[in-house]
Amino acid sequence: MAFSHCFSLFVPLLVIILLTNPTLSEAQDSQDLIDEVCRQMEDYGFCNRVFHENMKSSSIDYVGLTAIAMDQTITNATNTYEYILDLLRNTTDQSLRNVLVACENAFGIVKSSFGAALQSFNRKDYDDMFKLERVAPRAQASCETSFTAPPSPPNPLAERNREMRILITMAIASGKEILKR
């Protein structure tokens, strides 16, 4: 009898604690926003991991998600651009060199457009940010398709292109949510 009385007092108290704990509800709200963006991606797990690895707190909004996506896009584009330059320095295969030059140009455009978009983001000019970001998907895709045209050299950028495509889409998708609000 004492156990059931204790239990009947404990359950409502536990429910109140769980419902009023802002950390738990904020974390769930943040995950809901992350899910909203990541479910639009070709690789939910990659998207979710990028956001969680770069969150500074358990609570985040679309502005914070966009900041993470933009930062990761710029970092990835810069690293890939440098990698392409290294490949160009070290390859003698002319067909691969031709494709790498196209990719160098493509990733230069991604870096440039996202650098300018970040400036707009920092000014809270989200319309301009969105316009500047929209140049990147086509540029990145031009690098990918360069590897499919004959003669098709082996693609040393396949995974980097896949991640770049997802990061660009994450930034655009989260940025769209800012514009809706």
Side-chain angles (χ1 to χ4, degrees), residues 20-70:
T20 60
N21 186 335
T23 305
L24 291 174
S25 64
E26 286 172 3
Q28 185 55 48
D29 291 344
S30 295
Q31 187 58 51
D32 290 344
L33 300 182
I34 291 168
D35 287 344
E36 180 75 26
V37 172
C38 292
R39 285 192 180 120
Q40 299 174 55
M41 301 305 119
E42 66 186 74
D43 186 342
Y44 173 91
F46 174 79
C47 174
N48 189 57
R49 187 176 72 250
V50 167
F51 282 137
H52 281 284
E53 287 177 356
N54 293 283
M55 286 174 56
K56 292 178 179 29
S57 73
S58 62
S59 178
I60 197 162
D61 59 9
Y62 283 118
V63 172
L65 292 177
T66 302
I68 289 170
M70 290 181 75

Coordinates of all heavy atoms in Angstrom, one line a residue, residues 20-70:
T20 N 8.6 20.6 -17.6 CA 9.1 22.0 -17.3 C 10.6 22.1 -17.4 O 11.1 23.2 -17.3 CB 8.6 22.4 -15.9 OG1 9.2 21.5 -15.0 CG2 7.1 22.4 -15.8
N21 N 11.3 21.1 -17.7 CA 12.7 21.2 -17.9 C 13.1 21.8 -19.2 O 12.9 21.1 -20.2 CB 13.4 19.8 -17.7 CG 14.9 19.9 -17.7 OD1 15.5 20.8 -18.3 ND2 15.5 18.9 -17.1
P22 N 13.5 23.0 -19.3 CA 13.7 23.7 -20.6 C 14.8 23.0 -21.4 O 14.8 23.0 -22.6 CB 14.1 25.1 -20.2 CG 14.5 25.1 -18.8 CD 13.8 23.9 -18.2
T23 N 15.8 22.4 -20.7 CA 16.9 21.8 -21.4 C 16.4 20.6 -22.3 O 16.7 20.5 -23.4 CB 18.0 21.3 -20.5 OG1 18.4 22.4 -19.7 CG2 19.2 20.7 -21.2
L24 N 15.5 19.8 -21.7 CA 15.0 18.7 -22.4 C 14.1 19.1 -23.6 O 14.2 18.6 -24.7 CB 14.2 17.8 -21.5 CG 15.1 17.0 -20.5 CD1 14.1 16.2 -19.5 CD2 16.0 16.0 -21.1
S25 N 13.2 20.1 -23.3 CA 12.3 20.5 -24.3 C 13.0 21.3 -25.4 O 12.7 21.2 -26.6 CB 11.1 21.4 -23.8 OG 11.6 22.6 -23.2
E26 N 14.1 22.1 -25.1 CA 14.8 22.8 -26.1 C 15.6 21.9 -26.9 O 15.7 22.0 -28.2 CB 15.8 23.8 -25.4 CG 15.1 25.0 -24.9 CD 16.1 25.9 -24.0 OE1 17.3 25.6 -23.9 OE2 15.6 26.9 -23.5
A27 N 16.2 20.8 -26.3 CA 16.9 19.8 -27.1 C 16.0 19.1 -28.1 O 16.4 18.9 -29.2 CB 17.6 18.8 -26.2
Q28 N 14.8 18.8 -27.7 CA 13.8 18.2 -28.6 C 13.4 19.2 -29.7 O 13.3 18.8 -30.8 CB 12.6 17.7 -27.8 CG 11.6 16.9 -28.7 CD 12.3 15.8 -29.4 OE1 13.0 15.0 -28.8 NE2 12.1 15.7 -30.7
D29 N 13.2 20.4 -29.3 CA 12.8 21.4 -30.3 C 14.0 21.6 -31.3 O 13.7 21.7 -32.5 CB 12.5 22.8 -29.7 CG 11.3 22.8 -28.9 OD1 10.4 21.9 -29.0 OD2 11.1 23.7 -28.1
S30 N 15.2 21.6 -30.9 CA 16.4 21.7 -31.8 C 16.4 20.5 -32.7 O 16.7 20.6 -33.9 CB 17.7 21.8 -30.9 OG 17.7 23.0 -30.2
Q31 N 16.2 19.3 -32.1 CA 16.2 18.1 -33.0 C 15.1 18.1 -34.0 O 15.3 17.7 -35.1 CB 16.2 16.8 -32.1 CG 16.4 15.6 -32.9 CD 17.7 15.5 -33.6 OE1 18.7 15.7 -33.0 NE2 17.7 15.2 -34.9
D32 N 14.0 18.7 -33.6 CA 12.9 18.8 -34.6 C 13.3 19.7 -35.8 O 13.0 19.4 -36.9 CB 11.6 19.4 -33.9 CG 11.0 18.4 -33.0 OD1 11.3 17.2 -33.0 OD2 10.1 18.9 -32.2
L33 N 14.0 20.8 -35.5 CA 14.5 21.7 -36.6 C 15.5 21.0 -37.4 O 15.5 21.1 -38.7 CB 15.1 23.0 -36.0 CG 14.1 23.8 -35.1 CD1 14.8 25.1 -34.7 CD2 12.9 24.2 -35.9
I34 N 16.4 20.3 -36.8 CA 17.5 19.5 -37.5 C 16.8 18.5 -38.4 O 17.2 18.3 -39.5 CB 18.5 18.9 -36.5 CG1 19.3 20.0 -35.8 CG2 19.3 17.8 -37.2 CD1 20.1 19.5 -34.7
D35 N 15.8 17.8 -37.8 CA 15.1 16.8 -38.6 C 14.4 17.4 -39.8 O 14.4 16.8 -40.9 CB 14.0 16.0 -37.8 CG 14.6 15.1 -36.8 OD1 15.8 14.7 -36.9 OD2 13.9 14.7 -35.8
E36 N 13.8 18.6 -39.6 CA 13.2 19.3 -40.7 C 14.1 19.5 -41.9 O 13.8 19.4 -43.0 CB 12.6 20.6 -40.2 CG 11.8 21.4 -41.2 CD 10.5 20.8 -41.6 OE1 9.9 20.2 -40.7 OE2 10.0 21.1 -42.7
V37 N 15.3 19.9 -41.6 CA 16.3 20.2 -42.6 C 16.9 18.9 -43.1 O 16.9 18.6 -44.4 CB 17.5 21.1 -42.1 CG1 18.6 21.2 -43.1 CG2 16.9 22.4 -41.7
C38 N 17.3 18.0 -42.3 CA 18.0 16.8 -42.7 C 17.2 15.8 -43.4 O 17.7 15.0 -44.2 CB 18.7 16.1 -41.5 SG 20.1 17.1 -40.8
R39 N 15.9 15.8 -43.2 CA 15.0 14.9 -44.0 C 14.9 15.2 -45.4 O 14.5 14.4 -46.2 CB 13.6 14.8 -43.3 CG 13.6 14.0 -42.1 CD 12.3 13.7 -41.5 NE 12.4 12.9 -40.3 CZ 11.9 13.3 -39.2 NH1 11.2 14.4 -39.0 NH2 12.0 12.5 -38.1
Q40 N 15.4 16.4 -45.8 CA 15.4 16.9 -47.2 C 16.7 16.5 -47.9 O 16.9 16.6 -49.1 CB 15.3 18.4 -47.2 CG 14.0 18.9 -46.7 CD 14.0 20.4 -46.6 OE1 14.2 21.1 -47.6 NE2 13.8 21.0 -45.4
M41 N 17.7 15.9 -47.1 CA 19.0 15.6 -47.7 C 19.0 14.1 -48.2 O 18.3 13.3 -47.7 CB 20.1 15.7 -46.6 CG 20.2 17.1 -46.0 SD 20.4 18.4 -47.1 CE 18.9 19.4 -46.8
E42 N 20.0 13.9 -49.1 CA 20.2 12.5 -49.6 C 20.8 11.6 -48.5 O 20.7 10.4 -48.7 CB 21.1 12.6 -50.8 CG 22.5 13.0 -50.6 CD 23.3 13.2 -51.9 OE1 23.0 14.2 -52.6 OE2 24.1 12.3 -52.1
D43 N 21.5 12.2 -47.5 CA 22.1 11.4 -46.4 C 21.8 12.1 -45.1 O 22.5 13.0 -44.6 CB 23.6 11.4 -46.7 CG 24.3 10.5 -45.7 OD1 23.8 10.2 -44.6 OD2 25.5 10.1 -46.0
Y44 N 20.6 11.6 -44.5 CA 20.2 12.2 -43.2 C 21.3 12.1 -42.2 O 21.5 13.1 -41.4 CB 18.9 11.5 -42.8 CG 18.5 11.9 -41.4 CD1 17.6 12.9 -41.2 CD2 19.0 11.2 -40.2 CE1 17.3 13.3 -39.9 CE2 18.7 11.6 -39.0 CZ 17.8 12.6 -38.8 OH 17.4 13.0 -37.5
G45 N 22.0 11.0 -42.1 CA 23.0 10.8 -41.0 C 24.1 11.7 -41.1 O 24.6 12.3 -40.1
F46 N 24.6 12.0 -42.3 CA 25.7 13.0 -42.5 C 25.2 14.4 -42.1 O 25.9 15.0 -41.3 CB 26.1 13.0 -44.0 CG 27.1 14.1 -44.3 CD1 28.5 13.9 -44.0 CD2 26.7 15.3 -44.9 CE1 29.4 14.9 -44.3 CE2 27.6 16.3 -45.2 CZ 29.0 16.1 -44.9
C47 N 24.0 14.8 -42.5 CA 23.5 16.1 -42.1 C 23.3 16.2 -40.6 O 23.8 17.2 -40.0 CB 22.1 16.2 -42.8 SG 21.2 17.7 -42.4
N48 N 22.7 15.2 -40.0 CA 22.5 15.2 -38.6 C 23.8 15.3 -37.8 O 23.9 16.1 -36.8 CB 21.7 14.0 -38.2 CG 21.2 14.0 -36.7 OD1 20.5 14.9 -36.3 ND2 21.6 13.0 -36.0
R49 N 24.8 14.5 -38.2 CA 26.1 14.5 -37.6 C 26.8 15.9 -37.7 O 27.3 16.4 -36.7 CB 27.0 13.4 -38.2 CG 28.3 13.2 -37.5 CD 29.1 12.1 -38.0 NE 29.7 12.4 -39.3 CZ 29.3 11.9 -40.5 NH1 28.4 10.9 -40.5 NH2 29.9 12.2 -41.6
V50 N 26.7 16.5 -38.9 CA 27.4 17.8 -39.1 C 26.8 18.8 -38.1 O 27.5 19.6 -37.4 CB 27.2 18.3 -40.5 CG1 27.6 19.8 -40.7 CG2 28.1 17.5 -41.4
F51 N 25.5 18.8 -38.0 CA 24.8 19.8 -37.1 C 25.2 19.5 -35.6 O 25.6 20.4 -34.9 CB 23.3 19.8 -37.2 CG 22.8 20.5 -38.4 CD1 21.8 20.0 -39.2 CD2 23.3 21.8 -38.8 CE1 21.3 20.7 -40.3 CE2 22.9 22.5 -39.9 CZ 21.9 21.9 -40.7
H52 N 25.1 18.3 -35.2 CA 25.4 17.9 -33.8 C 26.8 18.1 -33.4 O 27.1 18.6 -32.3 CB 24.9 16.5 -33.5 CG 23.5 16.5 -33.2 ND1 22.9 16.9 -32.1 CD2 22.4 16.0 -34.0 CE1 21.6 16.7 -32.2 NE2 21.3 16.2 -33.3
E53 N 27.8 17.9 -34.3 CA 29.2 18.0 -34.1 C 29.6 19.5 -34.0 O 30.6 19.8 -33.4 CB 30.0 17.4 -35.1 CG 30.0 15.8 -35.0 CD 30.8 15.2 -36.1 OE1 31.3 15.9 -37.1 OE2 30.9 13.9 -36.1
N54 N 28.8 20.4 -34.5 CA 29.1 21.8 -34.5 C 28.2 22.7 -33.7 O 28.4 23.9 -33.7 CB 29.2 22.3 -36.0 CG 30.3 21.6 -36.8 OD1 31.4 22.0 -36.6 ND2 30.0 20.6 -37.5
M55 N 27.2 22.1 -33.0 CA 26.4 22.9 -32.1 C 27.2 23.3 -30.9 O 27.9 22.5 -30.3 CB 25.1 22.1 -31.7 CG 24.1 22.0 -32.9 SD 22.7 20.9 -32.5 CE 22.1 21.6 -31.0
K56 N 27.0 24.6 -30.5 CA 27.7 25.0 -29.3 C 26.9 24.8 -28.0 O 27.4 24.9 -26.9 CB 28.1 26.5 -29.5 CG 29.2 26.6 -30.5 CD 29.6 28.1 -30.8 CE 30.6 28.3 -31.8 NZ 30.8 27.4 -32.9
S57 N 25.6 24.6 -28.2 CA 24.7 24.3 -27.1 C 23.6 23.4 -27.5 O 23.5 23.1 -28.7 CB 24.1 25.6 -26.5 OG 23.1 26.1 -27.4
S58 N 22.8 22.9 -26.6 CA 21.8 22.0 -27.0 C 20.6 22.6 -27.6 O 19.7 22.0 -28.2 CB 21.3 21.2 -25.7 OG 20.8 22.1 -24.8
S59 N 20.5 24.0 -27.6 CA 19.4 24.7 -28.1 C 19.9 25.5 -29.4 O 20.9 26.2 -29.3 CB 18.8 25.7 -27.1 OG 17.8 26.4 -27.7
I60 N 19.1 25.3 -30.5 CA 19.5 26.0 -31.7 C 18.3 26.4 -32.5 O 17.3 25.7 -32.4 CB 20.6 25.2 -32.5 CG1 21.3 26.0 -33.5 CG2 19.9 24.0 -33.1 CD1 22.6 25.4 -34.1
D61 N 18.3 27.4 -33.3 CA 17.3 27.8 -34.2 C 17.7 27.7 -35.6 O 18.9 27.3 -35.9 CB 16.7 29.2 -33.8 CG 17.8 30.3 -34.0 OD1 18.9 30.0 -34.5 OD2 17.5 31.4 -33.5
Y62 N 16.9 28.1 -36.6 CA 17.3 28.0 -38.0 C 18.4 28.9 -38.3 O 19.3 28.6 -39.2 CB 16.1 28.3 -38.9 CG 15.1 27.1 -39.0 CD1 13.8 27.3 -38.6 CD2 15.5 25.9 -39.5 CE1 12.9 26.2 -38.7 CE2 14.7 24.9 -39.6 CZ 13.4 25.0 -39.2 OH 12.5 23.9 -39.3
V63 N 18.5 30.0 -37.6 CA 19.7 30.9 -37.9 C 21.0 30.2 -37.5 O 22.0 30.2 -38.2 CB 19.5 32.3 -37.1 CG1 20.8 33.1 -37.2 CG2 18.3 33.0 -37.7
G64 N 21.0 29.5 -36.3 CA 22.1 28.8 -35.9 C 22.5 27.6 -36.8 O 23.6 27.4 -37.1
L65 N 21.4 26.9 -37.3 CA 21.6 25.8 -38.2 C 22.2 26.3 -39.5 O 23.1 25.7 -40.1 CB 20.3 25.1 -38.5 CG 19.8 24.3 -37.3 CD1 18.4 23.7 -37.7 CD2 20.7 23.2 -36.8
T66 N 21.7 27.5 -40.0 CA 22.3 28.1 -41.2 C 23.7 28.5 -41.0 O 24.5 28.2 -41.9 CB 21.4 29.3 -41.7 OG1 20.0 28.8 -41.8 CG2 21.9 29.9 -42.9
A67 N 24.0 29.0 -39.9 CA 25.4 29.4 -39.6 C 26.3 28.2 -39.7 O 27.4 28.3 -40.3 CB 25.5 30.1 -38.3
I68 N 25.9 27.1 -39.1 CA 26.7 25.9 -39.1 C 26.9 25.4 -40.5 O 28.0 25.1 -41.0 CB 26.1 24.8 -38.2 CG1 26.2 25.1 -36.7 CG2 26.7 23.4 -38.5 CD1 25.4 24.3 -35.8
A69 N 25.8 25.3 -41.3 CA 25.8 24.8 -42.6 C 26.7 25.7 -43.5 O 27.5 25.2 -44.3 CB 24.4 24.7 -43.2
M70 N 26.6 27.0 -43.4 CA 27.4 27.9 -44.2 C 28.9 27.7 -43.8 O 29.7 27.7 -44.7 CB 27.0 29.3 -44.0 CG 25.6 29.6 -44.6 SD 25.1 31.3 -44.4 CE 26.2 32.1 -45.6

